Amino acid sequence: MFPPRAMTDHRGLLSLCFAVLLLFAVFPQKCFAVGQEHFVDTQYGQGDFALVGGKQAAPLCLDPNDYPGVIRAAHDLAQDISRVTGLSPVFGVPGVVTKPAAIIIGTLGKNALLDQLSRSGKIDVTALRGKWESYLIQTVRDPFPGVAMALVIAGSDKRGTIYGIYEISEQIGVSPWYWWADVPIPHQDALFVRAGRYFQGEPAVKYRGMFLNDEAPSLTGWTKEKFGGYNHEFYVKVFELLLRLRANYLWPAMWGSAFNEDDPLNPKLADEYGIVMGTSHHEPMLRAQQEWKRHGKGPWDYSTNGEELREFWTEGIERNKNYESIVTLGMRGDGDMPMSEQANVDLLEKIVADQRKILADKMNPDVTQIPQDWALYKEVQQYYEKGMRVPEDVTLLWCDDNWGNIRRLPTPEERKRSGGAGIYYHFDYVGDPRDYKWINTNPIPKVWEQMNLAYYYGATRIWIVNVGDLKPMEFPIEFFLTFARNPEAWPKERLGEFTRLWAEREFGPKYASQIADLIAKYGKYTGRRKPELLEPTTFSLVNYQEADRISDEYQTAVNQAQKIYNELPENYRDAFFQLVLFPLKAPAIVTQMYIAAGKNRMFAEQGRARANDYAVRVRELFDGDADLAAYYNHTLAGGKWDHMMDQTHIGYISWNDPPKNVMPNVTDLNIPIPAKMGVAVEGSTAAWPGATEEPRLPEFDSLVRPRRYLDIFNRGRTPFRFSAKASAPWIELSRSSGEVDKDERVWLSVDWRKAPAGKSSGTVTISSSTGETVSVTVPVFNPGEPTRDSLRGFVQTDEYVSIEADHFTRRVNTPTARWEEIPDYGRTDSAMSVFPVDAASYADPRHGPCLEYRMYLFDPRKVGVEAIFGPSLNFVPGRGLRYAIAFDDQAPQIVDMLAQNSAQDWSKSVKDNIRISTSSHSVGGTGYHMLKIWMVDPGIVLEKLVVKLGPVRPSYLGPPESFRGPLPASGEGDLNKGVQ
């Protein structure tokens, strides 16, 4: 279908045209591919091969007998070289070899020039023979008589060659996202491949791909407008992207379309491009759900309608038998639903046996040679647990819980199966507890942690990820597929480097570190609570200044992104908007809108005049969200992405998305004209005068030395004056008088040089010109010991000790297991997990690796500890996810973090993106104590610890980390990472 331009039917060596000249590169940005050895440069070095030099491009030499997909990709390379340099390579034609240099592209056994080079010993292709998707890129001196230099791109198979071609494309500066995210292609005057041999071996995961799903309204609306639907004009864009990302597998869109039927060129071109096609977990035998809806006769019920279903499936296999595919086996209910309660293991095993008979009859008598998978999705996993089995050559496709937490991984015995195992993962989902379809909410440390488990537990035959509309999942898609190819190249310590390299490839080196930080931040912020799950009550409005802090974090990041956007060259701004600015700004607006709605409601209950301003603010932000989506759809890249932001995301009241965005309810107060003072304090939603309890601020202590606030507000429209007077000289006020139009915030702090020792309190009295008076209690704690200078470890304040898991005092590892940090994992800081991830469990945790956290407690007695973990599941059958915990020298308590795992528990864990496990302890005596956390099972990911010594004020992220002092060097274990 894609014959090489300017090729003829003559035989012989391909003509080579062009001479190598030394040139200076004028563009300062280096050319590279993310994570790969960099071998393309813009300046000549001794022995280098000139792709482009002396205002000429090296010709591309192909064999017409090679795979059509290879020839097509070679034309992409020619176009990429032209995009970068403005010079278009020609394709060699048969004739006498008279030119000194050329690029030879071919697949083993499909290219006469490669065979000749191999026979003459000019290249060694031993490492390629019989390998899967491997390639060699090598400069060769004097490859043929009269030829001074060649660049060889040789593949072990079709995709191996294609990947080698796209490796060159990426290294010369063409991002895989050049079309899908409008990433600019920097101009270069010259391009050189450094002298040497560059080899890429087999991928760790054999089939690596994505699932276009939940694709209405955004992707569907876009494809209809731009391509007329899910036809081959659309899919070739997807195929090319997959190949540029070195992927090979696709489940096509299926809600309202049928890949094979809607456009017969779809499967034909997929095969020519080199894409392995499959169908989703509930569409067996290469037939789309829509095909049954269009043509099926009778019910989707094998027990009553088996003959019709067998005929339907036979047609699908007959149609696609000559294309490279993975056949989904089994059967779920119609429309991605469970089968009836009457469905049983015997029936399902018969279904699989009958399906395999069809495969043997129509595709290959040796059915074991046909790639097949059985997706153990949702209730289907229960069938396996009840004893259902499929032949061992069928890949068991294990699944996550739709929220990025893998439910099950292969046991050692299951790893012996010839069909192996794989993972179906989610970046997007429609279902309980709520859909999340709008934007990227998948921080890569979490993706890394779960897929690293899959790799080490042997689920490496297939990795496929549900990416929704594809956009705006660009960053996690590339990480997922890159990690699948070579997990060991991307240990947890290099996740930040991956992000930086990705940012540098897309936007150049100048802002790469800043952009990487912004990408990591938006992943963390959206990952800790998906926007569809936000509510006005999600973040605390009164405790720990949480809502304001979260809003400020977002705004700071948005401002930084906007600044970079403004400073970037014009041609980079569309890409930056798609990949960085929008993913930050969009959730920032929605988060700030819900916070404003919460303040409106609270202020309305307090009678604050400011409540109406927040009602206006909610409306502004709601409109701002719509405006941002409209810009994405209609203005960005000249309207190229129209409809891609049609997905609703505001106003969920159930699991399913609302038909349109619905603004949170707001209250507009009828504010009276006369002034009337009100006072609100940090830590309470009440207001005075009027509330029954006494106004009291959270405790001040000499160790943390916090600043706390009280708000003086107007319940009327006429301004008034206030005065604030402290009862003691050690209470410091940011202001003691002023005029209040709507509200004024007064900050309180303590002069600890004057504060009384021990526990005491004072008051601040606020008086208004309208006659109201409110006295607020100011409790203080000024212990003699420890002091800020003498403290060694954490310290109890405000009835708790809050500890980020990676700030351990000491780490004690063993020869077989160890605690290690997963940088930037989790909602607040980083996390600690056990490595290797397949380490054996410890029957006696005292012999296992341990994390120790030193803290100073005041008369602790009964202590509760909340251990906050990532929401992992017990992926090893018959085992929980256990840890052990104790204070000091007490015997460790073994706790299963999944001991409470009802549907409600699971739902809360995925909404909050944590799982909280609790334990109770008796701890005696004021002074230093050591909290110890032992590994029992691998797979737990510890994010945070909260030691509760009394009532702890509620908040979404929990209390901020407690104050801690430096630790003395002990030489034993690993000391804590830093000092606050």
Side-chain angles (χ1 to χ4, degrees):
M1 177 119 189
F2 297 97
R5 303 179 191 91
M7 279 205 173
T8 75
D9 292 330
H10 297 297
R11 296 188 179 273
L13 295 177
L14 302 176
S15 175
L16 309 175
C17 50
F18 139 109
V20 179
L21 297 176
L22 185 152
L23 278 183
F24 291 100
V26 297
F27 196 84
Q29 181 177 330
K30 297 294 184 181
C31 309
F32 64 93
V34 173
Q36 297 292 94
E37 181 181 359
H38 300 174
F39 55 78
V40 172
D41 209 337
T42 56
Q43 297 187 33
Y44 178 75
Q46 186 66 37
D48 288 355
F49 178 89
L51 292 168
V52 175
K55 298 185 179 180
Q56 295 185 73
L60 303 178
C61 298
L62 301 167
D63 191 314
N65 296 312
D66 215 324
Y67 295 100
V70 168
I71 295 169
R72 188 208 61 79
H75 282 86
D76 278 355
L77 176 60
Q79 190 171 9
D80 290 344
I81 291 171
S82 177
R83 289 177 174 124
V84 173
T85 66
L87 298 172
S88 299
V90 298
F91 286 82
V93 295
V96 179
V97 179
T98 60
K99 301 297 181 181
I103 304 167
I104 300 168
I105 300 172
T107 310
L108 291 191
K110 291 282 188 175
N111 186 290
L113 288 177
L114 287 184
D115 293 343
Q116 183 175 339
L117 289 171
S118 176
R119 287 194 301 270
S120 66
K122 296 291 184 179
I123 61 172
D124 182 357
V125 295
T126 305
L128 289 178
R129 296 197 187 281
K131 300 299 183 182
W132 177 263
E133 297 180 347
S134 302
Y135 62 82
L136 168 68
I137 297 172
Q138 184 175 341
T139 58
V140 180
R141 284 189 170 278
D142 303 317
F144 308 109
V147 181
M149 178 75 77
L151 177 68
V152 173
I153 304 172
S156 62
D157 53 19
K158 174 170 61 178
R159 278 187 296 274
T161 311
I162 292 170
Y163 294 160
I165 291 168
Y166 285 131
E167 180 67 28
I168 297 289
S169 289
E170 189 175 350
Q171 295 236 4
I172 68 174
V174 180
S175 167
W177 301 99
Y178 79 96
W179 191 88
W180 278 97
D182 302 301
V183 177
I185 299 171
H187 176 78
Q188 310 287 358
D189 287 335
L191 295 168
F192 302 94
V193 175
R194 296 172 187 163
R197 174 186 170 94
Y198 308 98
F199 179 77
Q200 178 66 56
E202 293 186 310
V205 177
K206 186 169 186 176
Y207 297 103
R208 310 162 307 283
M210 60 187 184
F211 178 21
L212 301 177
N213 190 222
D214 310 326
E215 63 270 22
S218 296
L219 186 64
T220 296
W222 178 73
T223 56
K224 284 181 178 178
E225 177 180 310
K226 303 302 181 183
F227 302 102
Y230 289 104
N231 55 31
H232 75 277
E233 293 182 5
F234 162 73
Y235 272 112
V236 294
K237 297 292 188 184
V238 178
F239 301 156
E240 181 188 332
L241 174 67
L242 285 168
L243 293 171
R244 285 183 183 267
L245 294 172
R246 323 307 192 263
N248 60 11
Y249 187 38
L250 179 67
W251 288 358
M254 43 69 62
W255 271 18
S257 58
F259 177 83
N260 295 293
E261 185 173 272
D262 291 346
D263 185 344
L265 284 176
N266 283 344
K268 175 177 171 55
L269 290 176
D271 194 65
E272 288 189 7
Y273 268 70
I275 300 299
V276 182
M277 293 303 302
T279 47
S280 70
H281 55 86
H282 69 106
E283 297 176 298
M285 301 292 280
L286 301 178
R287 298 222 69 173
Q289 174 189 333
Q290 290 300 316
E291 293 181 69
W292 179 257
K293 288 186 175 182
R294 296 169 188 176
H295 312 301
K297 299 174 183 177
W300 181 264
D301 184 338
Y302 201 76
S303 63
T304 63
N305 199 28
E307 185 175 349
E308 287 293 340
L309 284 163
R310 285 191 295 274
E311 182 179 345
F312 176 72
W313 291 335
T314 300
E315 291 171 358
I317 298 303
E318 186 75 46
R319 176 185 61 196
N320 291 77
K321 65 183 179 181
N322 294 322
Y323 301 140
E324 194 176 5
S325 307
I326 300 176
V327 180
T328 296
L329 300 181
M331 188 175 182
R332 294 190 72 216
D334 195 14
D336 195 14
M337 299 297 290
M339 292 181 69
S340 67
E341 293 183 5
Q342 289 73 34
N344 56 57
V345 167
D346 290 341
L347 175 61
L348 285 166
E349 288 182 341
K350 175 174 172 51
I351 290 170
V352 171
D354 290 351
Q355 289 170 339
R356 281 169 64 87
K357 185 177 186 305
I358 294 170
L359 294 177
D361 291 343
K362 299 297 180 181
M363 190 175 281
N364 189 336
D366 185 357
V367 72
T368 65
Q369 299 303 305
I370 303 170
Q372 302 153 68
D373 72 74
W374 181 36
L376 298 160
Y377 181 71
K378 286 191 174 180
E379 80 288 344
V380 180
Q381 183 175 322
Q382 298 172 15
Y383 304 144
Y384 186 89
E385 291 165 353
K386 291 176 181 178
M388 179 178 172
R389 293 296 181 265
V390 293
E392 75 158 26
D393 60 277
V394 177
T395 301
L396 298 180
L397 191 63
W398 300 102
C399 305
D400 66 355
D401 61 354
N402 302 301
W403 291 75
N405 307 296
I406 295 174
R407 300 165 69 199
R408 173 78 147 74
L409 287 170
T411 64
E413 189 62 29
E414 289 164 346
R415 290 172 216 168
K416 299 175 184 177
R417 299 178 69 259
S418 60
I423 297 294
Y424 170 36
Y425 201 71
H426 284 76
F427 289 164
D428 163 288
Y429 179 58
V430 169
D432 290 330
R434 284 187 186 172
D435 300 353
Y436 62 99
K437 299 168 57 180
W438 176 41
I439 58 172
N440 174 30
T441 59
N442 305 282
I444 65 166
K446 167 68 177 290
V447 178
W448 178 90
E449 183 268 331
Q450 287 290 293
M451 299 314 295
N452 186 63
L453 290 176
Y455 172 60
Y456 279 100
Y457 278 79
T460 57
R461 183 61 57 90
I462 300 169
W463 284 8
I464 188 160
V465 58
N466 186 327
V467 301
D469 301 310
L470 195 153
K471 294 180 70 67
M473 303 293 181
E474 298 95 339
F475 179 63
I477 285 172
E478 182 156 0
F479 175 75
F480 182 91
L481 296 175
T482 301
F483 189 62
R485 187 161 181 88
N486 190 359
E488 294 187 14
W490 298 106
K492 57 190 181 302
E493 295 81 7
R494 292 193 69 202
L495 296 179
E497 183 183 359
F498 179 91
T499 310
R500 183 188 59 77
L501 290 172
W502 194 83
E504 184 175 345
R505 184 192 66 193
E506 311 304 54
F507 303 108
K510 182 176 180 181
Y511 298 105
S513 294
Q514 293 169 261
I515 292 171
D517 181 63
L518 293 172
I519 292 170
K521 277 189 168 68
Y522 92 68
K524 196 174 196 74
Y525 295 168
T526 60
R528 64 191 176 194
R529 186 79 172 189
K530 297 182 186 296
E532 293 89 340
L533 290 159
L534 290 173
E535 296 172 346
T537 56
T538 297
F539 302 115
S540 178
L541 302 172
V542 297
N543 293 325
Y544 314 116
Q545 301 161 38
E546 182 179 66
D548 288 342
R549 180 163 41 90
I550 285 169
S551 179
D552 290 346
E553 285 175 351
Y554 256 126
Q555 195 58 52
T556 298
V558 168
N559 292 344
Q560 291 169 347
Q562 189 68 55
K563 183 175 184 293
I564 294 172
Y565 175 88
N566 295 338
E567 293 175 359
L568 283 171
E570 186 74 30
N571 64 323
Y572 279 86
R573 291 181 182 176
D574 284 348
F576 186 81
F577 182 88
Q578 293 168 64
L579 299 176
V580 185
L581 183 56
F582 181 86
L584 265 171
K585 197 170 188 177
I589 287 173
V590 172
T591 301
Q592 291 168 343
M593 180 194 66
Y594 278 110
I595 290 171
K599 288 187 175 183
N600 166 260
R601 296 179 190 183
M602 184 176 74
F603 289 179
E605 291 172 0
Q606 295 173 342
R608 291 200 200 195
R610 181 69 73 186
N612 289 352
D613 291 348
Y614 276 99
V616 172
R617 180 65 174 151
V618 171
R619 295 184 183 102
E620 290 174 345
L621 290 164
F622 184 75
D623 290 343
D625 171 82
D627 291 343
L628 194 65
Y631 177 86
Y632 200 118
N633 283 340
H634 307 311
T635 304
L636 175 68
K640 178 178 177 179
W641 302 111
D642 191 21
H643 296 293
M644 199 59 86
M645 280 301 135
D646 284 356
Q647 175 60 51
T648 57
H649 49 277
I650 300 172
Y652 277 73
I653 58 174
S654 67
W655 67 268
N656 204 4
D657 51 354
K660 65 178 182 178
N661 287 327
V662 180
M663 191 187 82
N665 291 329
V666 295
T667 300
D668 290 290
L669 295 179
N670 184 13
I671 308 296
I673 293 175
K676 187 177 182 181
M677 184 186 78
V679 175
V681 302
E682 181 177 344
S684 175
T685 59
W688 296 267
T692 56
E693 67 269 26
E694 294 298 318
R696 181 184 181 89
L697 283 163
E699 187 176 71
F700 292 76
D701 68 272
S702 60
L703 295 160
V704 176
R705 301 189 177 182
R707 207 173 59 133
R708 308 204 186 277
Y709 68 86
L710 55 85
D711 287 341
I712 304 165
F713 61 85
N714 200 343
R715 287 169 165 156
R717 283 187 277 167
T718 304
F720 67 87
R721 293 197 61 79
F722 79 92
S723 63
K725 184 176 181 181
S727 65
W730 44 266
I731 301 175
E732 298 180 326
L733 307 177
S734 62
R735 57 190 305 191
S736 59
S737 63
E739 183 174 270
V740 177
D741 180 17
K742 292 183 178 176
D743 52 29
E744 297 291 332
R745 177 158 288 186
V746 176
W747 289 95
L748 283 71
S749 56
V750 172
D751 184 342
W752 295 104
R753 296 168 300 178
K754 302 176 182 177
K759 284 187 176 286
S760 59
S761 64
T763 59
V764 172
T765 301
I766 302 99
S767 303
S768 75
S769 58
T770 56
E772 295 93 358
T773 299
V774 174
S775 291
V776 178
T777 300
V778 182
V780 297
F781 179 42
N782 187 15
E785 183 63 31
T787 65
R788 285 172 68 91
D789 292 335
S790 68
L791 179 67
R792 297 295 181 265
F794 290 91
V795 66
Q796 170 193 341
T797 53
D798 200 12
E799 303 293 344
Y800 68 84
V801 181
S802 178
I803 303 169
E804 296 292 343
D806 56 322
H807 293 161
F808 49 85
T809 302
R810 195 170 70 129
R811 171 174 50 185
V812 180
N813 291 325
T814 73
T816 57
R818 58 196 180 274
W819 287 98
E820 293 184 1
E821 178 186 356
I822 304 178
D824 204 32
Y825 178 106
R827 305 194 311 176
T828 50
D829 190 49
S830 295
M832 300 298 294
S833 191
V834 173
F835 295 88
V837 295
D838 55 354
S841 299
Y842 278 85
D844 184 346
R846 290 172 296 184
H847 298 152
C850 182
L851 293 171
E852 299 181 357
Y853 300 89
R854 193 172 194 242
M855 65 193 71
Y856 195 100
L857 304 178
F858 298 96
D859 192 21
R861 301 182 185 178
K862 292 294 184 183
V863 174
V865 178
E866 287 186 349
I868 299 170
F869 296 95
S872 305
L873 299 174
N874 50 332
F875 52 87
V876 174
R879 191 193 80 185
L881 279 181
R882 298 167 296 171
Y883 66 101
I885 184 169
F887 274 94
D888 303 324
D889 295 325
Q890 297 175 1
Q893 301 178 35
I894 295 179
V895 183
D896 187 347
M897 62 175 272
L898 295 172
Q900 303 296 320
N901 196 26
S902 66
Q904 292 77 17
D905 293 323
W906 169 83
S907 178
K908 180 170 174 53
S909 76
V910 296
K911 283 194 223 178
D912 296 346
N913 202 23
I914 56 168
R915 193 176 287 267
I916 299 177
S917 182
T918 61
S919 57
S920 297
H921 308 264
S922 295
V923 182
T926 294
Y928 286 105
H929 295 275
M930 192 75 83
L931 177 62
K932 302 176 182 179
I933 305 288
W934 287 271
M935 168 219 171
V936 176
D937 299 318
I940 62 172
V941 186
L942 179 64
E943 296 187 24
K944 188 172 182 174
L945 295 159
V946 180
V947 179
K948 294 186 171 184
L949 298 106
V952 174
R953 292 180 286 137
S955 64
Y956 181 72
L957 295 178
E961 188 169 39
S962 298
F963 180 80
R964 70 186 192 274
L967 292 169
S970 70
E972 183 180 4
D974 297 311
L975 294 182
N976 65 330
K977 289 172 34 176
V979 177
Q980 181 174 313

